[in-house]
């Protein structure tokens, strides 16, 4: 095994027919590739294969008479452990140079309560605040939108710290980027309205821009939440 392991116990028995029985209990830390495209509601399948550097002519794994531990006996912090399987990897009987191997497969699901508390609820609150800001007086609206935009940046930074470096964009990135877009559009509208508000001849235009901005921000927030519900179910 290429990963570092810590042997807890080992037993070597030489049988009367000359064969050797070796039993070892150990702990090991191995890297696992996760598909995080559905983060924070992702489901993963962990497959661990144990094999020897010796081929099956010298080392042959045999299934234990005792059944494998049920899924309830496995605990992973922040995850719900689902179905698990444990057994020998099929190898052709004629391939003497093939390696005997044991495979363990465990299905895990990220606990939704933790994800909702740390990710979804803050995102919804920021969208609500951004929607309400569109109904405030123009004098303080720009400052409020800037605060909301900075909140999105801080929120995205916190989420990024919890994730490994990814080459692809996950669903949560799309939601945050859409939040950025809503904040930027609202900021641009507030700047335009502030510049036009001093011209009384354009008061009707300002009123229309204000009305359409409020409708657009509310519709954008609803679409964003709807997209989140569809993407995470």
């Amino acid at each position: 095994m290429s990963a570092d392991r810590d042997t807890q116990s080992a037993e070597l028995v030489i049988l009367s027919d000359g064969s050797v029985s070796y039993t070892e209990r150990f702990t090991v830390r191995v890297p696992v590739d996760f598909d995080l495209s559905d983060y924070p509601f992702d489901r993963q399948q962990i497959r661990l294969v144990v094999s020897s550097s010796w081929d099956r002519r010298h080392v042959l794994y045999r299934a234990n008479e005792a059944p494998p531990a049920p899924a309830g006996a496995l605990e992973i912090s922040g995850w719900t452990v689902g179905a698990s399987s444990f057994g020998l990897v099929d190898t052709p009987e004629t391939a003497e140079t093939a390696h005997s191997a044991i495979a363990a497969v465990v299905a895990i699901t990220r606990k939704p309560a933790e994800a909702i508390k740390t990710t979804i609820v803050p995102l919804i609150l920021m969208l609500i605040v951004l929607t309400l800001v569109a109904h405030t007086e123009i004098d303080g609206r720009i400052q409020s939108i800037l605060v909301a935009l900075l909140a999105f940046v801080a929120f995205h930074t916190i989420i990024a710290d919890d994730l490994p470096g990814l080459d692809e964009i996950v669903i949560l990135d799309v939601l945050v980027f859409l939040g950025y877009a809503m904040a930027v559009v609202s900021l641009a509208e507030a700047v335009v309205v502030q510049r036009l508000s001093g011209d009384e001849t354009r008061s009707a235009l300002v009123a229309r821009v204000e009305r359409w901005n409020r409708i657009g921000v509310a519709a954008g927030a609803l679409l964003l939440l709807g997209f989140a519900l569809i993407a995470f179910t």
Side-chain angles (χ1 to χ4, degrees):
M1 180 176 293
S2 58
D4 295 333
R5 68 178 182 180
D6 181 18
T7 301
Q8 299 175 341
S9 62
E11 181 182 42
L12 179 66
V13 178
I14 302 177
L15 303 178
S16 57
D17 60 357
S19 60
V20 177
S21 173
Y22 178 74
T23 304
E24 180 180 347
R25 181 184 295 273
F26 60 88
T27 58
V28 62
R29 184 186 297 272
V30 295
V32 178
D33 292 330
F34 276 11
D35 179 8
L36 298 176
S37 56
D38 292 333
Y39 176 88
F41 296 104
D42 49 316
R43 300 176 178 87
Q44 309 294 337
Q45 190 174 71
I46 302 175
R47 187 172 189 266
L48 178 64
V49 178
V50 179
S51 63
S52 173
S53 58
W54 296 85
D55 59 47
R56 61 182 296 124
R57 293 175 300 179
H58 302 89
V59 175
L60 183 63
Y61 288 110
R62 179 178 298 173
N64 197 321
E65 295 179 356
L74 303 176
E75 295 184 1
I76 303 177
S77 177
W79 296 83
T80 299
V81 180
S84 60
S85 61
F86 181 86
L88 300 177
V89 177
D90 293 333
T91 55
E93 295 295 336
T94 56
E96 294 184 350
T97 58
H99 293 267
S100 177
I102 301 175
V105 180
V106 180
I108 59 175
T109 303
R110 196 182 299 271
K111 292 183 178 179
E114 183 68 19
I116 291 174
K117 179 179 67 175
T118 60
T119 304
I120 303 303
V121 171
L123 182 59
I124 292 175
L125 291 177
M126 285 187 290
L127 291 175
I128 293 175
V129 170
L130 188 60
T131 303
L132 295 176
V133 165
H135 295 270
T136 61
E137 294 296 330
I138 189 62
D139 293 338
R141 190 183 304 171
I142 294 179
Q143 291 82 356
S144 300
I145 295 175
L146 287 175
V147 171
L149 187 58
L150 291 175
F152 271 107
V153 173
F155 176 73
H156 199 190
T157 302
I158 293 173
I159 295 175
D161 289 341
D162 291 337
L163 290 174
L166 300 176
D167 294 330
E168 68 275 7
I169 296 178
V170 300
I171 293 178
L172 194 58
D173 289 326
V174 176
L175 296 178
V176 175
F177 289 150
L178 290 176
Y180 284 152
M182 289 178 57
V184 171
V185 170
S186 297
L187 181 61
E189 182 273 341
V191 172
V192 171
V193 169
Q194 187 181 53
R195 296 180 68 88
L196 295 177
S197 59
D199 189 347
E200 295 182 359
T201 61
R202 297 185 176 181
S203 59
L205 176 60
V206 170
R208 286 198 299 270
V209 172
E210 289 273 70
R211 182 172 61 254
W212 284 109
N213 176 68
R214 291 167 182 172
I215 295 174
V217 170
L222 291 176
L223 288 175
L224 190 57
L225 293 178
F227 175 76
L229 292 175
I230 295 174
F232 292 138
T233 55

